[in-house]
C-alpha cells in the first residue's frame, strides 16, 4: 500500500461533508492522521458540494445532485433530510453506468456504491448520513487510514487544526491520470473521486500521493 500520510497525529484536518467528493478532498484527508468532518455545519444552499458531485459522460462534464428537503430555519447537514424528488438515486445510477461502464475498473467497484444509490429511508435519511456512508466506502477503496471524528477535540492544546471547510477541493493541486474519454475532452480536472477510482482502480493511491507531494512538500 502506498504510504499517504504526511502529517502526524498532532495535526487535524477540519473538513466539510461532501457527496462523492473531488479527488483533492481525499488527498488532503489522506495526508493527515486525524480529520474531523463537520456535519454540524449549517446547511447553506450555496454549499452545493455537500449534495452534488461532478463526473464526465459522453457529452462532457455532468453534475449529479441529491435533492434536499429544505425546512424553515437554520439547520445543519445532520438535520437536513434527503428528498426523494425525481428519484435521484435512479438518475445517479443510470448516469454512472453510462459514464463509466466502459472504464477499466467500473465492474470491480461499482457494486460497493449501489447500496448508497437507493431510495432514502433505509441506510440513510439525512445528507450527513449519506455523505458519511459514501465517505466510508471511498476511504476503504483508497486505503485511507485517517481516523475520522465528527467533533474537534476539546482542550487539546497540543493539536494543530487546519480548517479546510471553505477550500476549493476541485482545484487542489490537480494531477493528470488516465481518463477513458481524454481523447475527446482532454484531461478534465476537479471531478468526483469516482472518476479516479473507475479509471485507474488500484493505482488511485499513487495519484493521491502525487497530489499530496505537491500540497505538502517535504521540509
Amino acid at each position: 500500500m502506498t504510504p499517504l500520510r504526511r502529517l502526524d497525529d498532532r495535526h487535524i484536518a477540519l473538513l466539510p461533508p461532501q457527496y462523492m467528493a473531488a479527488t483533492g478532498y481525499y488527498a488532503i484527508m489522506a495526508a493527515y492522521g486525524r480529520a474531523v468532518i463537520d456535519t454540524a455545519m449549517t446547511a447553506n444552499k450555496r454549499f452545493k458540494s455537500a449534495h452534488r458531485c461532478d463526473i464526465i459522460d459522453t457529452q462532457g462534464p455532468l453534475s449529479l445532485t441529491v435533492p434536499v428537503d429544505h425546512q424553515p430555519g437554520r439547520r445543519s447537514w445532520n438535520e437536513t433530510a434527503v428528498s426523494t424528488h425525481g428519484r435521484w438515486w435512479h438518475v445517479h445510477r443510470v448516469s454512472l453506468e453510462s459514464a463509466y461502464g466502459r472504464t477499466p475498473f467500473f465492474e470491480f467497484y461499482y457494486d460497493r456504491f449501489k447500496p448508497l444509490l437507493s431510495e432514502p429511508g433505509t441506510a440513510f435519511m439525512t445528507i450527513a448520513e449519506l455523505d458519511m456512508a459514501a465517505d466510508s466506502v471511498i476511504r476503504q477503496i483508497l486505503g485511507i487510514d485517517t481516523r475520522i471524528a465528527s467533533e474537534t477535540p476539546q482542550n487539546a492544546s497540543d493539536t494543530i487544526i487546519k480548517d479546510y471547510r471553505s477550500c476549493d477541493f476541485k482545484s487542489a493541486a490537480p494531477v493528470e491520470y488516465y481518463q477513458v474519454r481524454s481523447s475527446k475532452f482532454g484531461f478534465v480536472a476537479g471531478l468526483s473521486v469516482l472518476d479516479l477510482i473507475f479509471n485507474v482502480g488500484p493505482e488511485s493511491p499513487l495519484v493521491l500521493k502525487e497530489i499530496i507531494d505537491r500540497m505538502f512538500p517535504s521540509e
Side-chain angles (χ1 to χ4, degrees), residues 51-202:
H51 58 104
R52 176 183 295 175
C53 70
D54 295 321
I55 63 171
I56 187 166
D57 68 1
T58 56
Q59 303 301 313
L62 172 68
S63 292
L64 300 179
T65 302
V66 178
V68 301
D69 183 12
H70 284 295
Q71 297 293 327
R74 292 171 61 88
R75 290 174 177 267
S76 69
W77 292 114
N78 283 324
E79 301 167 316
T80 301
V82 176
S83 172
T84 59
H85 179 73
R87 289 175 54 82
W88 63 267
W89 56 92
H90 176 71
V91 174
H92 288 206
R93 288 181 66 160
V94 171
S95 297
L96 288 172
E97 290 165 4
S98 174
Y100 296 111
R102 295 183 180 274
T103 55
F105 298 97
F106 181 78
E107 64 180 286
F108 294 98
Y109 297 109
Y110 181 51
D111 284 349
R112 302 198 196 185
F113 295 99
K114 281 184 178 180
L116 304 172
L117 304 177
S118 58
E119 185 172 359
T122 54
F124 55 86
M125 292 290 290
T126 68
I127 292 294
E129 289 173 338
L130 173 60
D131 289 353
M132 295 304 288
D135 175 73
S136 178
V137 173
I138 291 167
R139 283 188 286 112
Q140 289 176 13
I141 291 173
L142 297 177
I144 295 174
D145 62 359
T146 304
R147 286 182 288 162
I148 304 298
S150 59
E151 296 181 348
T152 55
Q154 301 297 315
N155 301 319
S157 59
D158 60 335
T159 60
I160 303 169
I161 299 174
K162 175 67 174 178
D163 191 345
Y164 291 100
R165 288 177 295 178
S166 59
C167 179
D168 179 8
F169 300 105
K170 294 180 181 180
S171 60
V175 169
E176 291 192 16
Y177 55 85
Y178 171 78
Q179 289 179 329
V180 73
R181 295 193 176 88
S182 60
S183 60
K184 182 176 182 180
F185 299 109
F187 178 75
V188 179
L191 299 176
S192 165
V193 74
L194 296 181
D195 183 82
L196 176 70
I197 290 170
F198 293 146
N199 276 295
V200 303

